Amino acid sequence: MKFFFADSLDYIDPGFDFEREEHSPDRQVQRHDVYAHEYFTPPPYDGILVSRATVGDHRWQGKYSTAQSMRFRREGARAFLRYDLDKCNGAIMGDCGAFSYVNELEPIYTVPDMIEYYVECGFTHAVSIDHVILHYDESLDGPALFEDLVPGEWRRRYDLTLRLAREFHAACQVQQVPFQPIGVAQGWSPKSYALAVSRLVDIGFDYVAIGGLVPLRVNQIHHVLEAVREVEPSVRLHLFGFTKANDIQHFTQYNIESLDSTSPLLRAFKDHTRNYLAPNDWYTAIRIPHADESRLFKGQILEGRKQSRRLRDLEEASLRGLRSYAARTLSIEKTLEPLVEYGQEFNSRVHIDAYRHTLEDRPWEKCPCRVCSECGVEVIIFRGSNRNRRRGFHNLWEFHRQLQHLRNSQKEPINAV
């Protein structure tokens, strides 16, 4: 089971000074900041997924700037991402980013346009165009699968996705494209997904991606994969946007070829309590926001509800205390005092017990990854992109390590995202 990281320009300044809160001198983001696959050797994933909707173009504003989007197409995906063959040797998968245009009547790209884009950018794996069905209802399996009980718009998107896959496969055959074509299946129930995969195999695809999984619960994904494997036991499967990676050990029975996810990185700064992944546990990062940069604080200071000096003093005391605790010169109770007091300034609910658990276990001391080795306790501080994204890098490294262990043993559970 290969892990593709869905990239969205996630990088860090390797020379960031945590004590002074300063970036590297003369830093230029695109030139000096590094991706996770540059920071770690070997990379913490088996490949990269890049959605065209993320890159953007004249029709669709992606996350890339106009200059970045043009350079991506001019240089190619591998050169732009600095995903060097000598060091990484991983696949680069491209897709159209169907969730971005889900509210449109039709996909915003055409088959010839997508093939030209895939070839131009040097993707090794390329996914056919799809249109997401944002509904799931297992009661519509059985005789009602394609009867009037199924909304017409669902059926239209289903048929459209299969028609575009057929056109994509035929064009790839004619042009003898240099990438691995992947057909994508959409559905609204286990049997509709299974039928879509079967039709894609009949078209000629030997690698199929299951789309629309993001909103599904774990048991629903199981039902889909069980139905798919019942009719197509050997086709290679990719799971798109697999956010249920904490249950990944339960999906090995389906012989999954690959999955993509950003979840390990995003949990570092978007989850309330599960921010730092360890071999057997999740830990809560300790929130110490910038007193002078917080929009919440700025508004409250202008309103006279908070005092800037007090916030700065609490901020400094929190940072100083946490670093002293890491150096074993301050007790856990004394460390928690300013953290809790400062935390209550921006959130009435402070996760004191979770903070205590993190401090008592000192997970950053037990991890051998480069992030934890280089920045120590700073990795556990929820504060600014260079700390938060470093913690995300650590999570990618740990998740990939656990996934490798699972692949090798197929016995012990993976404590994942």
PDB file of all heavy atoms in Angstrom, residues 12 35 88 102 110 167 169 172 175 178 183 218-219 236 250 265 277 279 300 329 343 367 386 405 416:
ATOM      1  N   ILE A  12       8.794  24.443   4.679  1.00  0.00           N
ATOM      2  CA  ILE A  12       9.247  25.143   5.884  1.00  0.00           C
ATOM      3  C   ILE A  12      10.563  25.849   5.610  1.00  0.00           C
ATOM      4  O   ILE A  12      11.286  25.512   4.668  1.00  0.00           O
ATOM      5  CB  ILE A  12       9.443  24.168   7.068  1.00  0.00           C
ATOM      6  CG1 ILE A  12      10.500  23.114   6.723  1.00  0.00           C
ATOM      7  CG2 ILE A  12       8.120  23.521   7.465  1.00  0.00           C
ATOM      8  CD1 ILE A  12      10.945  22.276   7.894  1.00  0.00           C
ATOM      9  N   TYR A  35      10.503  21.304   0.941  1.00  0.00           N
ATOM     10  CA  TYR A  35       9.397  20.371   1.074  1.00  0.00           C
ATOM     11  C   TYR A  35       9.790  19.237   2.020  1.00  0.00           C
ATOM     12  O   TYR A  35      10.980  19.035   2.309  1.00  0.00           O
ATOM     13  CB  TYR A  35       9.047  19.765  -0.287  1.00  0.00           C
ATOM     14  CG  TYR A  35       8.517  20.727  -1.317  1.00  0.00           C
ATOM     15  CD1 TYR A  35       9.377  21.334  -2.242  1.00  0.00           C
ATOM     16  CD2 TYR A  35       7.157  21.015  -1.397  1.00  0.00           C
ATOM     17  CE1 TYR A  35       8.889  22.200  -3.213  1.00  0.00           C
ATOM     18  CE2 TYR A  35       6.663  21.880  -2.368  1.00  0.00           C
ATOM     19  CZ  TYR A  35       7.537  22.469  -3.262  1.00  0.00           C
ATOM     20  OH  TYR A  35       7.052  23.326  -4.220  1.00  0.00           O
ATOM     21  N   CYS A  88      14.386  10.708  -4.569  1.00  0.00           N
ATOM     22  CA  CYS A  88      13.001  10.354  -4.264  1.00  0.00           C
ATOM     23  C   CYS A  88      12.520   9.127  -5.040  1.00  0.00           C
ATOM     24  O   CYS A  88      11.978   8.195  -4.465  1.00  0.00           O
ATOM     25  CB  CYS A  88      12.101  11.548  -4.550  1.00  0.00           C
ATOM     26  SG  CYS A  88      12.562  13.040  -3.644  1.00  0.00           S
ATOM     27  N   VAL A 102     -17.211  21.002  -7.760  1.00  0.00           N
ATOM     28  CA  VAL A 102     -18.354  20.133  -7.507  1.00  0.00           C
ATOM     29  C   VAL A 102     -19.692  20.831  -7.749  1.00  0.00           C
ATOM     30  O   VAL A 102     -20.690  20.186  -8.097  1.00  0.00           O
ATOM     31  CB  VAL A 102     -18.285  19.576  -6.062  1.00  0.00           C
ATOM     32  CG1 VAL A 102     -18.469  20.691  -5.039  1.00  0.00           C
ATOM     33  CG2 VAL A 102     -19.297  18.467  -5.848  1.00  0.00           C
ATOM     34  N   THR A 110     -11.563  19.270 -20.213  1.00  0.00           N
ATOM     35  CA  THR A 110     -11.905  18.282 -21.230  1.00  0.00           C
ATOM     36  C   THR A 110     -10.831  17.209 -21.269  1.00  0.00           C
ATOM     37  O   THR A 110      -9.710  17.404 -20.770  1.00  0.00           O
ATOM     38  CB  THR A 110     -12.013  18.933 -22.619  1.00  0.00           C
ATOM     39  OG1 THR A 110     -10.713  19.422 -23.011  1.00  0.00           O
ATOM     40  CG2 THR A 110     -13.017  20.090 -22.607  1.00  0.00           C
ATOM     41  N   GLU A 167     -13.502   7.911 -22.808  1.00  0.00           N
ATOM     42  CA  GLU A 167     -12.816   8.797 -23.756  1.00  0.00           C
ATOM     43  C   GLU A 167     -11.347   8.960 -23.384  1.00  0.00           C
ATOM     44  O   GLU A 167     -10.470   8.988 -24.254  1.00  0.00           O
ATOM     45  CB  GLU A 167     -13.502  10.166 -23.773  1.00  0.00           C
ATOM     46  CG  GLU A 167     -14.920  10.155 -24.334  1.00  0.00           C
ATOM     47  CD  GLU A 167     -15.592  11.516 -24.231  1.00  0.00           C
ATOM     48  OE1 GLU A 167     -14.889  12.499 -23.899  1.00  0.00           O
ATOM     49  OE2 GLU A 167     -16.819  11.601 -24.463  1.00  0.00           O
ATOM     50  N   HIS A 169      -9.406   6.822 -21.682  1.00  0.00           N
ATOM     51  CA  HIS A 169      -8.645   5.601 -21.961  1.00  0.00           C
ATOM     52  C   HIS A 169      -8.375   5.446 -23.454  1.00  0.00           C
ATOM     53  O   HIS A 169      -7.251   5.103 -23.865  1.00  0.00           O
ATOM     54  CB  HIS A 169      -9.407   4.384 -21.432  1.00  0.00           C
ATOM     55  CG  HIS A 169      -8.635   3.104 -21.540  1.00  0.00           C
ATOM     56  ND1 HIS A 169      -8.679   2.290 -22.666  1.00  0.00           N
ATOM     57  CD2 HIS A 169      -7.777   2.497 -20.673  1.00  0.00           C
ATOM     58  CE1 HIS A 169      -7.896   1.248 -22.482  1.00  0.00           C
ATOM     59  NE2 HIS A 169      -7.339   1.345 -21.277  1.00  0.00           N
ATOM     60  N   CYS A 172      -5.689   7.894 -24.544  1.00  0.00           N
ATOM     61  CA  CYS A 172      -4.373   7.471 -24.044  1.00  0.00           C
ATOM     62  C   CYS A 172      -3.793   6.348 -24.897  1.00  0.00           C
ATOM     63  O   CYS A 172      -2.588   6.311 -25.161  1.00  0.00           O
ATOM     64  CB  CYS A 172      -4.490   7.013 -22.581  1.00  0.00           C
ATOM     65  SG  CYS A 172      -4.755   8.354 -21.383  1.00  0.00           S
ATOM     66  N   GLN A 175      -2.657   7.877 -28.317  1.00  0.00           N
ATOM     67  CA  GLN A 175      -1.479   8.743 -28.200  1.00  0.00           C
ATOM     68  C   GLN A 175      -0.287   8.041 -27.561  1.00  0.00           C
ATOM     69  O   GLN A 175       0.810   8.598 -27.525  1.00  0.00           O
ATOM     70  CB  GLN A 175      -1.846   9.985 -27.379  1.00  0.00           C
ATOM     71  CG  GLN A 175      -2.915  10.849 -28.018  1.00  0.00           C
ATOM     72  CD  GLN A 175      -3.221  12.090 -27.187  1.00  0.00           C
ATOM     73  OE1 GLN A 175      -2.328  12.684 -26.581  1.00  0.00           O
ATOM     74  NE2 GLN A 175      -4.491  12.497 -27.164  1.00  0.00           N
ATOM     75  N   PRO A 178       2.887   8.665 -21.971  1.00  0.00           N
ATOM     76  CA  PRO A 178       3.997   8.184 -21.138  1.00  0.00           C
ATOM     77  C   PRO A 178       3.632   7.998 -19.669  1.00  0.00           C
ATOM     78  O   PRO A 178       4.518   7.817 -18.832  1.00  0.00           O
ATOM     79  CB  PRO A 178       5.029   9.306 -21.292  1.00  0.00           C
ATOM     80  CG  PRO A 178       4.218  10.547 -21.476  1.00  0.00           C
ATOM     81  CD  PRO A 178       3.011  10.118 -22.269  1.00  0.00           C
ATOM     82  N   GLY A 183      -8.463   5.053 -14.066  1.00  0.00           N
ATOM     83  CA  GLY A 183      -9.876   5.394 -14.158  1.00  0.00           C
ATOM     84  C   GLY A 183     -10.428   5.696 -12.780  1.00  0.00           C
ATOM     85  O   GLY A 183      -9.995   5.117 -11.793  1.00  0.00           O
ATOM     86  N   VAL A 218     -16.314   5.050   8.322  1.00  0.00           N
ATOM     87  CA  VAL A 218     -15.449   3.882   8.159  1.00  0.00           C
ATOM     88  C   VAL A 218     -16.247   2.665   7.689  1.00  0.00           C
ATOM     89  O   VAL A 218     -15.847   1.961   6.756  1.00  0.00           O
ATOM     90  CB  VAL A 218     -14.713   3.558   9.477  1.00  0.00           C
ATOM     91  CG1 VAL A 218     -14.027   2.196   9.395  1.00  0.00           C
ATOM     92  CG2 VAL A 218     -13.677   4.630   9.784  1.00  0.00           C
ATOM     93  N   ASN A 219     -17.393   2.393   8.330  1.00  0.00           N
ATOM     94  CA  ASN A 219     -18.171   1.208   7.948  1.00  0.00           C
ATOM     95  C   ASN A 219     -18.710   1.318   6.522  1.00  0.00           C
ATOM     96  O   ASN A 219     -18.823   0.310   5.807  1.00  0.00           O
ATOM     97  CB  ASN A 219     -19.319   0.988   8.938  1.00  0.00           C
ATOM     98  CG  ASN A 219     -20.374   2.075   8.877  1.00  0.00           C
ATOM     99  OD1 ASN A 219     -20.043   3.259   8.868  1.00  0.00           O
ATOM    100  ND2 ASN A 219     -21.636   1.691   8.839  1.00  0.00           N
ATOM    101  N   ARG A 236      -6.046  -3.128  -9.447  1.00  0.00           N
ATOM    102  CA  ARG A 236      -5.348  -2.258  -8.497  1.00  0.00           C
ATOM    103  C   ARG A 236      -6.254  -1.096  -8.104  1.00  0.00           C
ATOM    104  O   ARG A 236      -6.863  -0.466  -8.970  1.00  0.00           O
ATOM    105  CB  ARG A 236      -4.049  -1.730  -9.112  1.00  0.00           C
ATOM    106  CG  ARG A 236      -2.976  -2.801  -9.275  1.00  0.00           C
ATOM    107  CD  ARG A 236      -1.682  -2.204  -9.785  1.00  0.00           C
ATOM    108  NE  ARG A 236      -1.822  -1.754 -11.172  1.00  0.00           N
ATOM    109  CZ  ARG A 236      -0.947  -0.952 -11.786  1.00  0.00           C
ATOM    110  NH1 ARG A 236       0.099  -0.477 -11.123  1.00  0.00           N
ATOM    111  NH2 ARG A 236      -1.134  -0.620 -13.048  1.00  0.00           N
ATOM    112  N   HIS A 250      -7.319  -1.928   9.173  1.00  0.00           N
ATOM    113  CA  HIS A 250      -8.520  -2.715   8.898  1.00  0.00           C
ATOM    114  C   HIS A 250      -8.842  -2.788   7.404  1.00  0.00           C
ATOM    115  O   HIS A 250      -9.783  -3.491   7.012  1.00  0.00           O
ATOM    116  CB  HIS A 250      -9.714  -2.128   9.647  1.00  0.00           C
ATOM    117  CG  HIS A 250      -9.528  -2.062  11.133  1.00  0.00           C
ATOM    118  ND1 HIS A 250      -9.249  -3.181  11.890  1.00  0.00           N
ATOM    119  CD2 HIS A 250      -9.547  -1.012  12.002  1.00  0.00           C
ATOM    120  CE1 HIS A 250      -9.128  -2.832  13.168  1.00  0.00           C
ATOM    121  NE2 HIS A 250      -9.293  -1.518  13.250  1.00  0.00           N
ATOM    122  N   LEU A 265      -0.554  15.757   7.980  1.00  0.00           N
ATOM    123  CA  LEU A 265      -0.037  17.119   8.070  1.00  0.00           C
ATOM    124  C   LEU A 265      -1.088  18.069   8.638  1.00  0.00           C
ATOM    125  O   LEU A 265      -0.787  18.876   9.529  1.00  0.00           O
ATOM    126  CB  LEU A 265       0.423  17.600   6.697  1.00  0.00           C
ATOM    127  CG  LEU A 265       1.040  19.009   6.716  1.00  0.00           C
ATOM    128  CD1 LEU A 265       2.451  19.000   6.157  1.00  0.00           C
ATOM    129  CD2 LEU A 265       0.173  19.979   5.908  1.00  0.00           C
ATOM    130  N   LEU A 277       1.641  12.960  16.272  1.00  0.00           N
ATOM    131  CA  LEU A 277       1.494  11.511  16.159  1.00  0.00           C
ATOM    132  C   LEU A 277       2.725  10.800  16.715  1.00  0.00           C
ATOM    133  O   LEU A 277       3.859  11.100  16.333  1.00  0.00           O
ATOM    134  CB  LEU A 277       1.293  11.122  14.693  1.00  0.00           C
ATOM    135  CG  LEU A 277       1.181   9.636  14.370  1.00  0.00           C
ATOM    136  CD1 LEU A 277      -0.018   9.005  15.080  1.00  0.00           C
ATOM    137  CD2 LEU A 277       1.072   9.433  12.867  1.00  0.00           C
ATOM    138  N   PRO A 279       4.147   6.653  18.151  1.00  0.00           N
ATOM    139  CA  PRO A 279       3.902   5.252  17.801  1.00  0.00           C
ATOM    140  C   PRO A 279       2.640   4.654  18.415  1.00  0.00           C
ATOM    141  O   PRO A 279       1.971   3.839  17.780  1.00  0.00           O
ATOM    142  CB  PRO A 279       5.160   4.541  18.318  1.00  0.00           C
ATOM    143  CG  PRO A 279       6.227   5.581  18.252  1.00  0.00           C
ATOM    144  CD  PRO A 279       5.540   6.868  18.601  1.00  0.00           C
ATOM    145  N   GLN A 300      -9.450  42.792  20.494  1.00  0.00           N
ATOM    146  CA  GLN A 300      -9.793  42.980  21.902  1.00  0.00           C
ATOM    147  C   GLN A 300      -8.966  44.084  22.541  1.00  0.00           C
ATOM    148  O   GLN A 300      -9.444  44.791  23.436  1.00  0.00           O
ATOM    149  CB  GLN A 300      -9.611  41.662  22.655  1.00  0.00           C
ATOM    150  CG  GLN A 300     -10.621  40.600  22.238  1.00  0.00           C
ATOM    151  CD  GLN A 300     -10.355  39.254  22.880  1.00  0.00           C
ATOM    152  OE1 GLN A 300      -9.221  38.933  23.254  1.00  0.00           O
ATOM    153  NE2 GLN A 300     -11.408  38.452  23.019  1.00  0.00           N
ATOM    154  N   THR A 329      14.509  21.940  34.320  1.00  0.00           N
ATOM    155  CA  THR A 329      14.831  22.895  35.396  1.00  0.00           C
ATOM    156  C   THR A 329      13.576  23.524  35.993  1.00  0.00           C
ATOM    157  O   THR A 329      13.683  24.433  36.818  1.00  0.00           O
ATOM    158  CB  THR A 329      15.755  24.007  34.862  1.00  0.00           C
ATOM    159  OG1 THR A 329      15.103  24.711  33.810  1.00  0.00           O
ATOM    160  CG2 THR A 329      17.073  23.421  34.358  1.00  0.00           C
ATOM    161  N   GLY A 343      -3.630  30.692  28.056  1.00  0.00           N
ATOM    162  CA  GLY A 343      -4.621  30.004  27.248  1.00  0.00           C
ATOM    163  C   GLY A 343      -6.025  30.514  27.488  1.00  0.00           C
ATOM    164  O   GLY A 343      -6.828  30.624  26.558  1.00  0.00           O
ATOM    165  N   CYS A 367      11.361  10.608  19.878  1.00  0.00           N
ATOM    166  CA  CYS A 367      11.269  10.468  18.422  1.00  0.00           C
ATOM    167  C   CYS A 367      12.618  10.745  17.764  1.00  0.00           C
ATOM    168  O   CYS A 367      13.241  11.784  18.018  1.00  0.00           O
ATOM    169  CB  CYS A 367      10.214  11.427  17.872  1.00  0.00           C
ATOM    170  SG  CYS A 367      10.091  11.381  16.063  1.00  0.00           S
ATOM    171  N   ASN A 386       5.875  27.830  10.923  1.00  0.00           N
ATOM    172  CA  ASN A 386       7.111  27.059  10.912  1.00  0.00           C
ATOM    173  C   ASN A 386       7.152  25.995  12.003  1.00  0.00           C
ATOM    174  O   ASN A 386       7.765  24.948  11.819  1.00  0.00           O
ATOM    175  CB  ASN A 386       8.325  27.990  11.012  1.00  0.00           C
ATOM    176  CG  ASN A 386       8.916  28.278   9.655  1.00  0.00           C
ATOM    177  OD1 ASN A 386       9.619  27.464   9.079  1.00  0.00           O
ATOM    178  ND2 ASN A 386       8.571  29.445   9.101  1.00  0.00           N
ATOM    179  N   HIS A 405       5.827  -0.321   8.473  1.00  0.00           N
ATOM    180  CA  HIS A 405       5.809  -1.437   9.408  1.00  0.00           C
ATOM    181  C   HIS A 405       4.605  -2.331   9.151  1.00  0.00           C
ATOM    182  O   HIS A 405       4.711  -3.565   9.172  1.00  0.00           O
ATOM    183  CB  HIS A 405       5.779  -0.902  10.848  1.00  0.00           C
ATOM    184  CG  HIS A 405       5.741  -1.982  11.895  1.00  0.00           C
ATOM    185  ND1 HIS A 405       6.826  -2.767  12.188  1.00  0.00           N
ATOM    186  CD2 HIS A 405       4.724  -2.415  12.694  1.00  0.00           C
ATOM    187  CE1 HIS A 405       6.501  -3.628  13.138  1.00  0.00           C
ATOM    188  NE2 HIS A 405       5.237  -3.435  13.460  1.00  0.00           N
ATOM    189  N   ALA A 416      -2.671   5.609  13.582  1.00  0.00           N
ATOM    190  CA  ALA A 416      -2.495   6.654  12.584  1.00  0.00           C
ATOM    191  C   ALA A 416      -3.475   7.768  12.757  1.00  0.00           C
ATOM    192  O   ALA A 416      -3.957   8.026  13.821  1.00  0.00           O
ATOM    193  CB  ALA A 416      -2.568   6.033  11.196  1.00  0.00           C
TER     194      ALA A 416
END
